[in-house]
Amino acid sequence: MASPLFIGFLTTMALIAAIGAQNAFVLRQGIRGEHVVPVIALCTVSDLILIAAGIAGIGAVITAHPTAVTVVKLSGAAFLIGYGLLAARRALRPAGLAPAEQAPTRLVEVLLTAAALTWLNPHVYLDTVVLLGSLANEHHEQRWLFGAGAVAASALWFTSLGLGARKLAGLFANPATWRALDIVIAVVMIGLGTWMALS
């Protein structure tokens, strides 16, 4: 039988690899080469907190209070749609320079955006807290080993995505490529936000 550490790692990697709002933001920051390590750290620490909360039983509390989930869902939907509209505006009204050549965004703004994309997404609670928490607790006394594997997968994913994206910087030296990326980000964000609001 496979180790809970390995199962936690594989399960989390399967959940986290889908393109979503948080991944798109980490990718964009990685390509820009701007505040990448703090963003990776914030995303990883957030997952650590959420996974630990799920293993500790917070998932049961969340599922018992659907009104709280609805409030987070609608807040998250509004934020994602707003962020998507900003990406669409960047794509439709480019400043003439590739983002890497523009004035850098302040660290606090980048971290607030990363935190909002993480904590205002209700799926992070359903996937990370409820689902991973439930799966971890099936391993009883080895549930924290499962959690360690899950956190290791999160750290590896965000580090690879954020630092690996820098290799695409040459491709994104052209502002037209950034416009294409912003169009994709706008479609993903607005689509996720709309689906979230209506689901």
Side-chain angles (χ1 to χ4, degrees):
M1 184 177 174
S3 163
L5 183 75
F6 185 63
I7 295 170
F9 182 90
L10 287 183
T11 304
T12 303
M13 196 59 81
L15 285 173
I16 205 171
I19 289 296
Q22 186 187 47
N23 285 341
F25 183 75
V26 174
L27 179 66
R28 190 172 199 280
Q29 290 305 120
I31 293 169
R32 285 195 69 165
E34 183 179 75
H35 310 306
V36 183
V37 173
V39 168
I40 291 169
L42 186 143
C43 292
T44 303
V45 170
S46 294
D47 271 7
L48 186 152
I49 292 167
L50 291 162
I51 290 166
I55 295 172
I58 302 300
V61 175
I62 289 173
T63 53
H65 295 85
T67 304
V69 175
T70 301
V71 170
V72 172
K73 180 175 78 167
L74 294 176
S75 300
F79 180 82
L80 288 177
I81 291 169
Y83 190 86
L85 291 173
L86 288 175
R89 183 179 173 212
R90 284 194 307 266
L92 296 173
R93 297 170 57 185
L97 295 172
E101 299 168 341
Q102 296 172 4
T105 309
R106 291 187 307 147
L107 175 61
V108 67
E109 293 173 15
V110 170
L111 291 181
L112 284 173
T113 302
L117 289 170
T118 301
W119 293 90
L120 288 180
N121 181 359
H123 290 283
V124 81
Y125 299 100
L126 297 175
D127 290 348
T128 310
V129 179
V130 177
L131 179 60
L132 286 179
S134 299
L135 291 173
N137 281 300
E138 288 180 8
H139 294 277
H140 306 294
E141 67 277 359
Q142 291 188 306
R143 63 189 182 278
W144 292 105
L145 196 58
F146 179 100
V151 172
S154 175
L156 177 63
W157 174 258
F158 288 122
T159 301
S160 301
L161 185 63
L163 298 181
R166 194 65 182 143
K167 296 189 182 301
L168 299 173
L171 175 66
F172 283 87
N174 182 348
T177 312
W178 276 103
R179 289 185 71 185
L181 178 63
D182 278 329
I183 289 169
V184 171
I185 289 174
V187 170
V188 169
M189 299 289 189
I190 294 170
L192 282 173
T194 304
W195 177 79
M196 196 182 294
L198 298 176
S199 64

